[in-house]
Each structure stands twice: as structure tokens, then as C-alpha cells.
Amino acid sequence: MQWITVSSRDLDWSDRRFCLSLNLPRPEVLFGEEDVPFPAILRPGLRPGSWTMVFGHSHWSHPENHSREWISALCLMPEEADERKCLYLAYGFRRRFGPLALMEKAFLVRRLCETGGYRPEELAGTWLKALELPPGPTTVEKMMRLASWPEPLVPIAEQAEINPAVLLQLAELPCSDAEAIVPFLQRHRWSHSRQKEVVRICLDLAKIQGTCLADIVADCRQVESALPGETAGPERAEAVRIHLLRLRYPRRREAEEQYEACRRKLRLPPEIRLAEPPDFDGEKYRIQFSFRSRRELDRAVESLARLARQEELDNLFRLV
Amino acid sequence: MTRTGASTQTDGSAYRPEFILVEREVESLPMSVRIRERLPEVPFLPVDRVDSWLSEVGNSRDPLRAGKKILYLTRHQGQVLKTCQGMCAHVSCCLYHVVDFACNCPLDCSYCLLQNYLNHPLIRVYVNTEEMLQELEGRLQRLGSTVLRVGTGELTDSLALDRYTLLSGELVPLFARYPTAALELKTKTAEIDSLGRLEHRGRTVISWSLNTPRMIAGEEWGASRLEERLLAARRCSDWGYPVGFHFDPLVWYAGWESEYRETVQQMFDIVGPGRIAWISLGAFRGPAGLLDTVRERFPDSTLPLGELLPGVDGKLRYFRPLRVEMFRKMVGWIRAVRPAQTVYLCMESPRVWEQVFGFRATTADVGRLLDAAVLP
Ligand code: SF4
């Protein structure tokens, strides 16, 4: 049945109105027994036998509506629809309304499978590519799992603005783990790269400790509650991240603590800065100081000479 | 997937491809003919391009695993003999040279760097072997008194395809003719049958990557078990070959100490210390992206759970005190059995050498150490 005909001429992107001409024998073919699933007007098209769906201005102005409903529209495509047309529509949509969020893509994938009659492996190549997702059947599975997250989790995930790569990672987790970590990410508002790091550490820790993410998150809660009440959000988030890093890299933390202890004993004057090699992997410390007069320089050099005589330095050298 | 179904190879049983694709241009070369004759029941398909195969493999659940079921016979382009990629400014390396007769490997180790390195997942076998051997021999003829150690196991396992290519039958006698050259065939298999009858004059070291039985079972898919490797080493040693062992990657996990200690002991028990030319130690390391691949492809792997931190060269390695502790213990267990055993570290800085052996080895030092171990 060749009843969807979409070409560039059929799409009207002007003035926040979205029109899609469908060559339908009758409107019911599109919607079947169901109601129109979104506020669209269906009217006779210009060509004989065609119908035009018009999405009105007010509807599209609600950002949380437009992509979901668009997804519904796409999913009404019959099995026989040419995949390229769908891709074209997805592309057109992207140009008009910006990229789809990952959750929206997840709903799209699920609807394509469940309503559109696509088999998951049919979506694994071109479709995923068009949606800017890593190709392959495992991505389809992850998207299906994301789309089946319980309803309260979905808006939280959307508000948390989770890094799409992280969200895909979370899709592999049991729902109870996702329910623990998603609100945690929402609360701390880390940048995308920090989210990636934090989630990675939490997952590793859960494996190392043989526990679940809820326990790791609960442990972080305790760290948070020990912070002074006036601690600002970003500092709280950083304190939690550092706590996680220390749990994940205990030997490094030990070296860091020893280093800090040495540094305290050395009592460096404030104008002299000592820097350890990154991750204690190199073998050299660096000292930096600034001065703006001969007197300041003399003072710094004296401090350095005193420093060089301290026995505590040996402990510092043992660390690298 | 229609052309590349599930594989049945789950242990050290011999690798067998499901398809052989051959570039039309090299179809009649002797190596192509040989591989075809030795795998008569495997479909042998001349192709102009492999694009459709690549996209089919690419759409499979695990493209890297699926690609390993296809041998792609093609022509090697460019220089044959290259320096090992381990050579870099931050580490003391062993001045090793490599020749790649294949690119990609029938085995599938979770930690394999090739996963993030190859630009397509089929196993490429270079069948213009005659040309390659000629070029290699040209280099060997010009050596004079310069020492050259060459390996074939950088982009593949040196022996995993040998029962089909019989390449060792050409390489081993070639190196036997040059007194300052040494060949190393590095493997995780027990594919040594073709080595027994060869004229080698001690110029070829057959070496095995070793790990604990737990690591082999969990991280080295398709490889031979520890005991099989050691028995194979024993046979090679009986045939007069010097043998080598590479404890690489050493992995830090709960119980590593007792298990690595036992593995070292088992190595000496089965092979005997006499003919071990060298033993290398390398702690698990890799680019950051490798860990993502390991997590994705081998979700049960414990490798990413180590205390891995980026080093000065950007590669992830165990936090240095952990590495030093592992190396010191390994060296101690090895030297307790054979005090004079040549042991070296793979891709470690002079500082780590100093902490483990008490001296800062330069690249030239490591090169000399290994030359002395294998050349008369
Ligand atoms: S044997 Fe070597 S080349 Fe082959 S998969 Fe294992 S690590 Fe990679």
C-alpha cells in the first residue's frame, strides 16, 4: 500500500505551523479506531485523495509536547512506508525544532517497534544513524529499556539533562539502580563530563563492593549531610565527587594524604607553591614562587634554603 | 545476521573461519591457494570489495567478534619491517621490530588493544608473502654485525593461523641463516605442530603470554589454557628452541599474589628453567577508550575495576606503587627459582626500573639485555 507520499514540497516549515501531506484514501486509515493522538487538524489536501495534517501554532509552542507528538506521528507510518521518508521527516523535524532529546528518541524507537512494525534489527543501522545514535542492536535494546522506565523517572531524567552517553549506560541497569542514580544526578547538576565520571565511579564501586547503586548514593548522602548547611550546590556536588574518587582510588588517596601531611610539616611560606607530579606518576616536584622586589626574592630564597635542609623532604621523595 | 552466525569456538580449540574472502587480484597467489587447500570446507569467495560484508558485520551484536569469523586475504602495502609501537620517549623499550603477516587476531582477549585500533573487524591475512619475505631477507642480508630482534605478534597472534598459512615453515629457516637476527613467535595457543621439523639453529624464540588460570578463563577468549601453553613450551624447548614468557598483562585482583606465584611455579615445573631466554612483565595498561570497550564487550571483566590512572603518556596504568609492588613480587618469585633469569619490564619508565631492579634502564640497556639473552 503506497499511501504515504512525502516530499520536500509536502512539508511546510513556515511560521511555526507544521504541515504534512499524506496521500490517504480516507482519514481513518491513519488513525484507525483510535482518536487523533495529538491536536492536529486533518483536512483535504491539494491533490485528489490526499489529506493534510496541520499542527497548530499553540500546540507546538509547548516544547515538551512537540517532539512526543511528532514521534506519535512518525509511528503511525505503516510497515510499508519507505524508511527514507521517515528519515527525511526526522531530519526535517530536527531542522525545525532542534535535536530530539535521548528520551524522545527512545520513545520513537519503541513506537517504531511496537506500532510501526519494525523489527529491532531493522532499526539498528540507518535509523540509529539518522537519530545520531551508535549503530547496532544493543543500542536499540537500550533505547527500548529507556522507553520502558517507570513514568516518574522520565521527567526527572529529562530535568537532570543527563549526558546522552550516560543515559544509554544507565539504560543497561536494573530499574532500581536507575531510580537511585537519576535523582542523584538531577540533584547535583554536574556537567556532562562530570556526570560521566561520577556514574562510572558509582558503577565501579558497586561492583568492587558487591553492593547496589542505592547504597553508594546513600553513602554520598551521609557525606552531604556532614557538610555545613550553607554549603552551596556546586561545592556540595564537588565534595560528593571527591568522596567518590577517594573511595574508588584508595591507594592514590593514601599517597595524597601522606603528601598533604608532609606538606603541612614542611610549613612552606605562602609565597612558595609546591606541586606534586600528576597522579604521582612522574618523578619530580615543582616549586613556584613569585616576587616583586629584591627583598621578596631574598626571603623566598631563604625559605627554599630552609626547606632543603628539612628531613621531612625524604618522606616527600619516597612518594614518587 | 545470515552470513556470520554464532561461533562455536569458546576455548583453546583450533580457530576455523566461517568464510574466506579473497581479493580477486591475489586469488591465485601461492598463499591464497594454500589457505584454500587447507580449509576446503570453508566458503572461499573472490571479492572486489568487502563493503557489504563490513556493513553486515557492523550491524551484528558484536561486530568485533563477528569480524573474527571472516578471513580476508589481501595484499600487504608499504614497508614490511617496522619498529614496535611501544617505542616512545617516556618508557624504556626493548628495540623490537615487527613484521605483520596478518592484522587482527582469531582470539579475543578482553584487554586487546586492537579493539580500539583496527579500522575494520575482518581478519586480514597478507598473502603476498613471497614479496614480504624477500624484502625481509634483503634487510637481514644488510645487517652485518647489527643485531635485529623481530616479532610477528604485534597485530595478531603469531601462531593462531599457522596451521593454515604454514608461515613458520618459511620464517624459522630464514632467520636460522642470519647469526645476528632473532625471530620471536609470540602466542597464546598450543599451535606448534609445524615447528617440530624446522631448522632453527636457536635463532627463533617461541614465546607465550602467560596469565593465571582465572585471567585466562575470564579474559582471553579462544586462547589455550595455561597448562596447554606450558606443555607446548616444553615441547618446543625439547626441540631445542629457546622459549620466552610474557606475563602481560599482570592484573591486580583479589588473590592475584597467590595465583601469579603459583603460575610462575607451574611455568618452572613444566618447562624447567634451562631454556627460558627471557621473561617480560607488563602491568595492564591501555588508552582510556579501551576501558569503555572492555566494559561494553566484556561486562564481567574485572580489568576496569583496577586503580587505573592516566600516566605521563596519557595511557591508563595501575597507580605506580601497585605496579612496582607487582613487579617486585614477580621478580622475586622468578629469581627465587632462577637467580640469573633475564627479566624485563614492558613499557615502563626508568623510574619504575629503578624501583624494581635498582637501576634506571635506558632503551639501549634493555635492548642489550635481550640481545645477550638470545644471541650467542
Ligand atoms: S592474542 Fe594478542 S592480538 Fe590476539 S586478541 Fe589477544 S591480545 Fe589481541
Side-chain angles (χ1 to χ4, degrees):
Chain A
M1 192 163 55
Q2 291 293 313
W3 51 266
I4 288 203
T5 55
V6 181
S7 72
S8 54
R9 284 196 313 275
D10 298 323
L11 293 165
D12 172 8
W13 302 106
S14 61
D15 192 28
R16 312 184 78 174
R17 277 156 60 86
F18 175 75
C19 301
L20 166 61
S21 296
L22 301 168
N23 188 14
L24 303 174
R26 56 186 193 283
E28 306 86 77
V29 172
L30 184 60
F31 304 117
E33 297 296 308
E34 295 173 33
D35 288 340
V36 174
F38 44 86
I41 303 160
L42 204 59
R43 64 173 191 225
L46 292 176
R47 274 167 290 160
S50 79
W51 294 82
T52 300
M53 266 195 298
V54 182
F55 302 84
H57 173 191
S58 62
H59 181 69
W60 289 106
S61 63
H62 294 299
E64 70 274 18
N65 283 343
H66 61 233
S67 41
R68 290 273 173 76
E69 304 309 351
W70 169 253
I71 287 162
S72 304
L74 277 183
C75 293
L76 290 164
M77 301 264 173
E79 260 176 83
E80 296 83 350
D82 183 334
E83 189 169 302
R84 270 169 312 174
K85 288 172 189 161
C86 300
L87 294 178
Y88 175 76
L89 291 173
Y91 174 71
F93 177 80
R94 193 180 182 289
R95 274 193 25 195
R96 178 67 178 81
F97 300 106
L100 291 174
L102 192 78
M103 280 314 266
E104 293 166 332
K105 291 178 189 175
F107 291 122
L108 169 59
V109 168
R110 189 178 66 180
R111 296 290 297 273
L112 284 167
C113 289
E114 289 177 357
T115 321
Y118 282 88
R119 281 176 289 121
E121 58 273 23
E122 289 175 313
L123 302 177
T126 334
W127 258 105
L128 290 185
K129 214 163 128 198
L131 290 169
E132 294 168 336
L133 291 168
T138 49
T139 307
V140 178
E141 279 161 22
K142 287 179 197 172
M143 298 301 274
M144 297 288 277
R145 293 187 65 160
L146 268 185
S148 61
W149 270 6
E151 188 47 46
L153 201 52
V154 174
I156 303 176
E158 282 171 344
Q159 283 163 25
E161 292 175 15
I162 299 177
N163 175 344
V166 172
L167 207 47
L168 273 181
Q169 212 180 340
L170 299 184
E172 293 175 80
L173 302 178
C175 221
S176 56
D177 277 341
E179 278 166 337
I181 196 102
V182 168
F184 181 59
L185 294 176
Q186 185 208 17
R187 194 164 62 246
H188 290 298
R189 305 231 148 254
W190 282 289
S191 68
H192 275 188
S193 61
R194 285 276 188 260
Q195 283 177 354
K196 198 170 170 212
E197 182 191 16
V198 165
V199 168
R200 187 67 275 150
I201 293 176
C202 289
L203 290 170
D204 285 353
L205 281 174
K207 270 195 181 174
I208 293 167
Q209 298 174 359
T211 173
C212 61
L213 284 185
D215 290 343
I216 307 285
V217 169
D219 177 58
C220 291
R221 275 268 192 209
Q222 285 188 358
V223 172
E224 274 183 74
S225 57
L227 293 170
E230 68 277 10
T231 313
E235 277 97 68
R236 243 165 223 285
E238 188 57 7
V240 168
R241 189 181 76 89
I242 288 173
H243 170 69
L244 286 168
L245 274 169
R246 290 183 161 182
L247 286 179
R248 176 66 181 83
Y249 300 104
R251 293 288 290 259
R252 191 198 178 289
R253 179 193 61 195
E254 225 173 80
E256 207 173 63
E257 283 167 0
Q258 287 170 11
Y259 169 70
E260 283 307 325
C262 283
R263 228 161 68 116
R264 272 196 301 275
K265 286 186 192 156
L266 289 172
R267 293 183 189 209
L268 293 168
E271 69 273 14
I272 293 183
R273 270 206 229 133
L274 176 68
E276 78 278 20
D279 288 313
F280 299 96
D281 188 57
E283 46 182 312
K284 288 178 181 161
Y285 290 98
R286 269 188 316 126
I287 271 187
Q288 197 184 29
F289 62 89
S290 47
F291 57 92
R292 60 184 163 185
S293 67
R294 192 174 286 276
R295 233 180 89 226
E296 280 186 11
L297 175 62
D298 280 346
R299 211 167 50 214
V301 171
E302 264 171 40
S303 304
L304 283 176
R306 254 200 320 277
L307 174 70
R309 286 193 296 272
Q310 291 198 50
E311 280 179 15
E312 189 58 34
L313 269 186
D314 294 333
N315 288 334
L316 206 63
F317 296 141
R318 266 193 279 277
L319 288 175
V320 292
Chain B
M1 171 148 297
T2 51
R3 295 190 287 200
T4 52
S7 173
T8 49
Q9 183 202 11
T10 54
D11 53 24
S13 59
Y15 165 77
R16 179 169 292 268
E18 292 179 4
F19 293 92
I20 302 170
L21 311 181
V22 58
E23 255 175 26
R24 270 182 224 286
E25 187 224 339
V26 296
E27 191 185 344
S28 57
L29 290 182
M31 181 58 87
S32 304
V33 174
R34 181 186 296 170
I35 292 172
R36 182 180 196 168
E37 280 170 1
R38 299 188 70 82
L39 284 161
E41 70 293 350
V42 178
F44 187 89
L45 311 167
V47 291
D48 292 315
R49 301 173 63 89
V50 285
D51 301 21
S52 71
W53 290 83
L54 290 181
S55 67
E56 188 163 337
V57 164
N59 282 341
S60 68
R61 179 162 296 276
D62 182 351
L64 288 166
R65 182 69 61 86
K68 286 174 186 282
K69 295 169 196 161
I70 302 172
L71 285 189
Y72 173 39
L73 312 188
T74 181
R75 174 179 289 281
H76 181 274
Q77 317 268 7
Q79 209 183 328
V80 169
L81 191 69
K82 297 178 201 135
T83 51
C84 167
Q85 296 195 2
M87 289 192 185
C88 83
H90 307 289
V91 295
S92 307
C93 81
C94 60
L95 293 172
Y96 198 57
H97 285 74
V98 293
V99 181
D100 301 318
F101 288 97
C103 179
N104 200 350
C105 178
L107 315 185
D108 198 0
C109 305
S110 64
Y111 49 79
C112 182
L113 293 173
L114 298 180
Q115 298 173 97
N116 288 46
Y117 171 81
L118 298 177
N119 53 13
H120 85 57
L122 311 185
I123 298 184
R124 264 173 289 184
V125 179
Y126 302 122
V127 288
N128 51 333
T129 341
E130 283 177 1
E131 280 165 34
M132 293 176 75
L133 289 170
Q134 250 172 34
E135 188 182 325
L136 180 61
E137 180 148 29
R139 283 293 299 271
L140 297 180
Q141 280 164 349
R142 293 194 299 276
L143 271 182
S145 59
T146 314
V147 176
L148 187 73
R149 278 174 288 105
V150 180
T152 60
E154 189 197 32
L155 299 181
T156 189
D157 182 287
S158 294
L159 293 174
L161 294 172
D162 202 53
R163 62 166 61 205
Y164 309 125
T165 63
L166 302 179
L167 196 58
S168 60
E170 289 163 61
L171 280 169
V172 172
L174 170 66
F175 276 78
R177 296 199 286 274
Y178 295 92
T180 59
L183 171 70
E184 183 181 29
L185 298 176
K186 205 190 279 189
T187 187
K188 289 188 179 106
T189 72
E191 295 280 319
I192 52 160
D193 290 346
S194 52
L195 300 171
R197 300 171 301 276
L198 303 177
E199 169 82 17
H200 60 77
R201 295 194 199 151
R203 303 263 52 78
T204 295
V205 180
I206 316 293
S207 69
W208 278 265
S209 297
L210 295 186
N211 225 310
T212 62
R214 183 199 301 263
M215 285 298 114
I216 291 174
E219 313 287 348
E220 295 180 350
W221 186 90
S224 296
R225 292 194 311 269
L226 174 65
E227 206 189 347
E228 292 168 335
R229 294 183 210 182
L230 293 173
L231 288 170
R234 173 62 192 259
R235 281 177 71 201
C236 286
S237 174
D238 290 346
W239 291 330
Y241 286 97
V243 295
F245 294 106
H246 301 279
F247 285 89
D248 197 348
L250 289 169
V251 180
W252 183 285
Y253 60 92
W256 70 267
E257 279 188 73
S258 59
E259 294 185 13
Y260 276 106
R261 181 182 201 151
E262 238 163 70
T263 306
V264 168
Q265 193 54 53
Q266 209 175 338
M267 171 187 78
F268 283 125
D269 287 349
I270 295 182
V271 183
R275 280 189 190 272
I276 302 179
W278 51 58
I279 296 175
S280 80
L281 306 175
F284 172 58
R285 61 201 171 275
L290 175 66
L291 288 193
D292 293 335
T293 310
V294 177
R295 287 182 174 112
E296 177 83 23
R297 296 193 63 227
F298 303 93
D300 295 330
S301 170
T302 53
L303 291 181
L305 302 181
E307 207 167 332
L308 297 155
L309 296 163
V312 274
D313 57 0
K315 280 205 177 80
L316 291 173
R317 288 183 168 81
Y318 289 118
F319 186 45
R320 196 168 71 197
L322 301 180
R323 273 153 44 216
V324 170
E325 186 182 332
M326 290 183 103
F327 294 147
R328 278 186 182 152
K329 288 197 167 147
M330 288 293 291
V331 172
W333 298 326
I334 292 166
R335 295 256 164 96
V337 179
R338 193 182 183 209
Q341 177 63 56
T342 301
V343 184
Y344 68 100
L345 304 179
C346 190
M347 295 191 72
E348 287 294 350
S349 66
R351 176 65 178 141
V352 174
W353 274 81
E354 187 179 28
Q355 289 179 312
V356 176
F357 293 107
F359 68 99
R360 295 175 72 91
T362 62
T363 292
D365 294 333
V366 186
R368 273 195 297 272
L369 183 76
L370 299 188
D371 292 347
V374 72
L375 296 172

